[in-house]
Amino acid sequence: MSSDFETYEQDFGTITAEITSKIGRIPKLSGEEKTQLVLNVDKQLEEVRELLEQMDLEVREIPIQSRAMYNSRLKSYKQEMEKLEKDFKRSRIAYSDEVRNELLGDDASSSENQLIKLREERAHLLDNTEKLERSSRRLEAGYQIAVETEQVGQEILTNLHSDREKIQRARERLRETDANLGKSSRVLTGMLRRELMPIVLHAVVLVLSALVD
């Protein structure tokens, strides 16, 4: 299992390095070229999310004595992913000085303050969006834990019910065995009485005969 995890780690490192490079290029572009690069990065981020999900599944299969180390590594990768997403969102609304001047032309200097204000407002909106997304992910994780806990509890109840039935069947067999032993004991006692009675009578006759003589 750990070998699969390490393979996912290598893929994670390769893709995130490409994403980081492309995020740095986005503010320098405009128009269709920028749109295409944004779509490309968005697709790669989705690939990274799937890798993290696979890594999470692999960690759950790792023996518990080694799991803490892999959990720590997975946590750092998730933090790196959050940073990439934040940088990506900021890069989509950012422009280099060259691109900004090209877009605004002669009004670049007079509109700079408006751009800065707009950028700050968008950044604030993105921060709020990220907080909502993190809360949503925590809720989903909590729900998943609750579902898994319910499943484990149901399995335990099923096992307990099965064990109870086994115990009841064992008790019934013990009662049947006791009853059979009682019957056997009575049968043996009757047989012994029937076998011993002639011997006892014969002995009594001999004693009486001896006394008469």
Side-chain angles (χ1 to χ4, degrees):
M1 293 297 178
S2 61
S3 60
D4 292 335
F5 185 89
E6 290 166 358
T7 300
Y8 292 136
E9 281 183 311
Q10 293 175 1
D11 294 340
F12 178 88
T14 300
I15 298 176
T16 53
E18 293 178 2
I19 292 174
T20 300
S21 176
K22 292 175 181 179
I23 286 176
R25 290 168 50 202
I26 290 175
K28 301 176 183 179
L29 303 175
S30 62
E32 184 64 21
E33 190 176 4
K34 180 174 183 176
T35 300
Q36 291 299 321
L37 188 58
V38 166
L39 291 174
N40 181 265
V41 171
D42 193 47
K43 182 179 179 181
Q44 285 188 305
L45 284 172
E46 184 60 31
E47 292 177 10
V48 173
R49 293 187 192 98
E50 292 177 359
L51 278 175
L52 289 174
E53 290 178 0
Q54 291 297 324
M55 293 164 74
D56 191 25
L57 292 174
E58 288 297 326
V59 168
R60 297 184 185 184
E61 299 297 326
I62 292 174
I64 192 169
Q65 61 268 25
S66 304
R67 195 176 300 168
M69 176 182 66
Y70 288 94
N71 270 326
S72 177
R73 285 155 66 173
L74 179 59
K75 181 179 179 181
S76 68
Y77 297 143
K78 289 181 178 179
Q79 291 174 344
E80 184 176 349
M81 177 63 180
E82 290 180 1
K83 183 179 183 302
L84 279 177
E85 289 178 328
K86 180 181 289 188
D87 292 343
F88 175 54
K89 289 178 180 178
R90 292 184 186 280
S91 72
R92 287 184 297 179
I93 61 172
Y95 292 94
S96 64
D97 292 339
E98 181 180 350
V99 174
R100 186 175 69 249
N101 291 335
E102 181 182 345
L103 292 173
L104 296 177
D106 295 336
D107 295 332
S109 57
S110 61
S111 302
E112 185 174 357
N113 289 335
Q114 294 180 359
L115 274 175
I116 292 174
K117 183 177 180 181
L118 179 61
R119 186 181 301 168
E120 290 176 349
E121 290 176 352
R122 287 182 176 178
H124 181 67
L125 179 60
L126 287 173
D127 287 339
N128 289 336
T129 301
E130 289 171 0
K131 290 178 181 178
L132 287 173
E133 289 177 350
R134 287 196 296 270
S135 297
S136 177
R137 287 195 294 270
R138 284 196 293 268
L139 286 173
E140 289 177 0
Y143 174 76
Q144 183 63 31
I145 292 172
V147 170
E148 292 176 356
T149 302
E150 182 180 0
Q151 291 175 345
V152 172
Q154 186 62 41
E155 290 177 359
I156 292 174
L157 288 175
T158 301
N159 292 335
L160 288 175
H161 181 70
S162 176
D163 291 342
R164 181 181 178 184
E165 290 180 344
K166 290 178 182 178
I167 292 172
Q168 288 177 341
R169 287 195 296 269
R171 287 177 176 173
E172 289 174 0
R173 285 196 295 269
L174 284 174
R175 283 195 291 268
E176 292 174 359
T177 301
D178 287 341
N180 291 334
L181 287 173
K183 291 178 181 179
S184 298
S185 178
R186 288 193 295 273
V187 170
L188 288 173
T189 301
M191 291 174 64
L192 287 173
R193 285 176 179 173
R194 286 193 295 271
E195 292 292 333
L196 291 174
M197 185 59 68
I199 297 173
V200 171
L201 290 175
H202 182 67
V204 170
V205 170
L206 291 176
V207 170
L208 291 175
S209 297
L211 291 175
V212 171
D213 295 340

Short mmCIF file of all heavy atoms in Angstrom, two decimals, residues 22-29 34 38 41 84-95 126:
data_model
loop_
_atom_site.label_atom_id
_atom_site.label_comp_id
_atom_site.label_asym_id
_atom_site.label_seq_id
_atom_site.Cartn_x
_atom_site.Cartn_y
_atom_site.Cartn_z
N LYS A 22 2.37 27.78 -14.06
CA LYS A 22 1.31 28.39 -14.87
C LYS A 22 0.60 29.51 -14.13
O LYS A 22 0.21 30.52 -14.74
CB LYS A 22 0.31 27.30 -15.29
CG LYS A 22 0.90 26.30 -16.28
CD LYS A 22 -0.06 25.17 -16.59
CE LYS A 22 0.57 24.17 -17.55
NZ LYS A 22 -0.32 23.03 -17.85
N ILE A 23 0.43 29.36 -12.82
CA ILE A 23 -0.20 30.42 -12.03
C ILE A 23 0.62 31.70 -12.12
O ILE A 23 0.07 32.81 -12.18
CB ILE A 23 -0.37 29.97 -10.57
CG1 ILE A 23 -1.50 28.93 -10.47
CG2 ILE A 23 -0.68 31.15 -9.66
CD1 ILE A 23 -1.69 28.35 -9.08
N GLY A 24 1.94 31.57 -12.13
CA GLY A 24 2.80 32.74 -12.26
C GLY A 24 2.68 33.42 -13.61
O GLY A 24 2.95 34.63 -13.74
N ARG A 25 2.26 32.70 -14.65
CA ARG A 25 2.13 33.27 -15.99
C ARG A 25 0.78 33.93 -16.23
O ARG A 25 0.65 34.80 -17.10
CB ARG A 25 2.33 32.17 -17.03
CG ARG A 25 3.75 31.65 -17.12
CD ARG A 25 3.81 30.37 -17.93
NE ARG A 25 3.09 30.52 -19.21
CZ ARG A 25 2.62 29.50 -19.92
NH1 ARG A 25 2.78 28.26 -19.47
NH2 ARG A 25 1.99 29.72 -21.06
N ILE A 26 -0.24 33.51 -15.49
CA ILE A 26 -1.61 33.99 -15.74
C ILE A 26 -1.73 35.51 -15.70
O ILE A 26 -2.33 36.11 -16.61
CB ILE A 26 -2.60 33.33 -14.76
CG1 ILE A 26 -2.76 31.84 -15.11
CG2 ILE A 26 -3.97 34.01 -14.80
CD1 ILE A 26 -3.63 31.05 -14.16
N PRO A 27 -1.20 36.21 -14.67
CA PRO A 27 -1.36 37.67 -14.64
C PRO A 27 -0.70 38.39 -15.82
O PRO A 27 -1.04 39.55 -16.11
CB PRO A 27 -0.68 38.06 -13.31
CG PRO A 27 -0.71 36.83 -12.48
CD PRO A 27 -0.52 35.72 -13.45
N LYS A 28 0.22 37.74 -16.51
CA LYS A 28 0.93 38.37 -17.62
C LYS A 28 0.18 38.24 -18.95
O LYS A 28 0.62 38.76 -19.97
CB LYS A 28 2.32 37.74 -17.76
CG LYS A 28 3.18 37.89 -16.52
CD LYS A 28 4.51 37.16 -16.67
CE LYS A 28 5.33 37.25 -15.39
NZ LYS A 28 6.61 36.53 -15.51
N LEU A 29 -0.95 37.49 -18.91
CA LEU A 29 -1.71 37.25 -20.13
C LEU A 29 -3.05 37.97 -20.08
O LEU A 29 -3.49 38.44 -19.03
CB LEU A 29 -1.93 35.75 -20.31
CG LEU A 29 -0.68 34.87 -20.36
CD1 LEU A 29 -1.08 33.40 -20.41
CD2 LEU A 29 0.20 35.23 -21.55
N LYS A 34 -5.26 33.96 -21.87
CA LYS A 34 -5.40 33.85 -20.41
C LYS A 34 -6.53 32.87 -20.06
O LYS A 34 -6.38 32.05 -19.14
CB LYS A 34 -5.68 35.22 -19.80
CG LYS A 34 -5.83 35.19 -18.29
CD LYS A 34 -5.97 36.59 -17.72
CE LYS A 34 -6.04 36.53 -16.20
NZ LYS A 34 -6.09 37.89 -15.59
N VAL A 38 -6.16 29.50 -17.79
CA VAL A 38 -6.97 29.35 -16.57
C VAL A 38 -7.73 28.02 -16.59
O VAL A 38 -7.77 27.30 -15.59
CB VAL A 38 -7.95 30.53 -16.42
CG1 VAL A 38 -9.01 30.21 -15.36
CG2 VAL A 38 -7.20 31.80 -16.04
N VAL A 41 -5.26 25.15 -15.93
CA VAL A 41 -4.88 25.05 -14.52
C VAL A 41 -6.04 24.48 -13.69
O VAL A 41 -5.83 23.64 -12.80
CB VAL A 41 -4.46 26.42 -13.97
CG1 VAL A 41 -4.28 26.36 -12.45
CG2 VAL A 41 -3.17 26.87 -14.62
N LEU A 84 -2.33 26.57 -3.28
CA LEU A 84 -2.39 26.65 -4.74
C LEU A 84 -3.74 27.21 -5.19
O LEU A 84 -3.81 28.03 -6.11
CB LEU A 84 -2.18 25.26 -5.35
CG LEU A 84 -0.74 24.76 -5.49
CD1 LEU A 84 -0.74 23.34 -6.03
CD2 LEU A 84 0.07 25.67 -6.40
N GLU A 85 -4.82 26.74 -4.58
CA GLU A 85 -6.15 27.21 -4.96
C GLU A 85 -6.28 28.71 -4.68
O GLU A 85 -6.87 29.44 -5.48
CB GLU A 85 -7.21 26.43 -4.19
CG GLU A 85 -7.35 24.98 -4.66
CD GLU A 85 -8.38 24.20 -3.87
OE1 GLU A 85 -8.54 24.50 -2.66
OE2 GLU A 85 -9.01 23.30 -4.44
N LYS A 86 -5.74 29.14 -3.54
CA LYS A 86 -5.80 30.56 -3.21
C LYS A 86 -4.98 31.38 -4.21
O LYS A 86 -5.44 32.42 -4.71
CB LYS A 86 -5.28 30.79 -1.79
CG LYS A 86 -5.31 32.26 -1.38
CD LYS A 86 -4.77 32.45 0.02
CE LYS A 86 -5.72 31.91 1.05
NZ LYS A 86 -5.31 32.24 2.44
N ASP A 87 -3.78 30.94 -4.52
CA ASP A 87 -2.94 31.65 -5.49
C ASP A 87 -3.59 31.68 -6.86
O ASP A 87 -3.50 32.69 -7.59
CB ASP A 87 -1.56 30.97 -5.59
CG ASP A 87 -0.73 31.13 -4.32
OD1 ASP A 87 -1.07 32.00 -3.51
OD2 ASP A 87 0.24 30.37 -4.15
N PHE A 88 -4.24 30.58 -7.22
CA PHE A 88 -4.89 30.51 -8.53
C PHE A 88 -6.03 31.52 -8.62
O PHE A 88 -6.18 32.23 -9.63
CB PHE A 88 -5.41 29.09 -8.75
CG PHE A 88 -6.20 28.91 -10.01
CD1 PHE A 88 -5.67 29.29 -11.24
CD2 PHE A 88 -7.47 28.35 -9.97
CE1 PHE A 88 -6.41 29.12 -12.42
CE2 PHE A 88 -8.20 28.18 -11.14
CZ PHE A 88 -7.67 28.57 -12.36
N LYS A 89 -6.84 31.61 -7.58
CA LYS A 89 -7.95 32.56 -7.58
C LYS A 89 -7.46 34.00 -7.66
O LYS A 89 -8.04 34.83 -8.35
CB LYS A 89 -8.81 32.34 -6.34
CG LYS A 89 -9.60 31.04 -6.38
CD LYS A 89 -10.40 30.84 -5.10
CE LYS A 89 -11.18 29.52 -5.16
NZ LYS A 89 -11.94 29.26 -3.92
N ARG A 90 -6.38 34.26 -6.96
CA ARG A 90 -5.83 35.62 -7.00
C ARG A 90 -5.24 35.93 -8.38
O ARG A 90 -5.35 37.05 -8.87
CB ARG A 90 -4.76 35.78 -5.92
CG ARG A 90 -5.32 35.74 -4.50
CD ARG A 90 -4.22 36.00 -3.47
NE ARG A 90 -4.70 35.82 -2.12
CZ ARG A 90 -5.40 36.72 -1.44
NH1 ARG A 90 -5.70 37.88 -2.01
NH2 ARG A 90 -5.80 36.48 -0.21
N SER A 91 -4.61 34.93 -8.98
CA SER A 91 -3.97 35.17 -10.28
C SER A 91 -4.99 35.48 -11.37
O SER A 91 -4.69 36.19 -12.32
CB SER A 91 -3.14 33.94 -10.68
OG SER A 91 -3.97 32.85 -11.05
N ARG A 92 -6.21 34.96 -11.22
CA ARG A 92 -7.22 35.19 -12.26
C ARG A 92 -7.68 36.64 -12.30
O ARG A 92 -8.17 37.10 -13.33
CB ARG A 92 -8.42 34.26 -12.02
CG ARG A 92 -8.13 32.82 -12.37
CD ARG A 92 -9.36 31.96 -12.23
NE ARG A 92 -9.84 31.92 -10.86
CZ ARG A 92 -10.91 31.25 -10.46
NH1 ARG A 92 -11.62 30.56 -11.34
NH2 ARG A 92 -11.28 31.24 -9.20
N ILE A 93 -7.58 37.34 -11.18
CA ILE A 93 -8.02 38.74 -11.16
C ILE A 93 -6.84 39.70 -11.16
O ILE A 93 -7.03 40.92 -11.11
CB ILE A 93 -8.90 39.01 -9.92
CG1 ILE A 93 -8.12 38.77 -8.64
CG2 ILE A 93 -10.16 38.16 -9.96
CD1 ILE A 93 -8.86 39.19 -7.39
N ALA A 94 -5.64 39.16 -11.20
CA ALA A 94 -4.44 40.01 -11.18
C ALA A 94 -3.95 40.27 -12.60
O ALA A 94 -4.10 39.44 -13.49
CB ALA A 94 -3.34 39.34 -10.37
N TYR A 95 -3.34 41.43 -12.79
CA TYR A 95 -2.73 41.78 -14.08
C TYR A 95 -1.36 42.38 -13.82
O TYR A 95 -1.17 43.14 -12.86
CB TYR A 95 -3.59 42.82 -14.82
CG TYR A 95 -4.92 42.31 -15.31
CD1 TYR A 95 -6.07 42.47 -14.53
CD2 TYR A 95 -5.04 41.67 -16.52
CE1 TYR A 95 -7.30 42.01 -14.97
CE2 TYR A 95 -6.27 41.20 -16.97
CZ TYR A 95 -7.39 41.38 -16.19
OH TYR A 95 -8.60 40.91 -16.63
N LEU A 126 -12.97 36.35 -2.42
CA LEU A 126 -12.35 35.04 -2.56
C LEU A 126 -12.03 34.41 -1.21
O LEU A 126 -12.20 33.21 -1.02
CB LEU A 126 -11.06 35.17 -3.39
CG LEU A 126 -11.24 35.42 -4.89
CD1 LEU A 126 -9.89 35.68 -5.55
CD2 LEU A 126 -11.92 34.23 -5.55
#
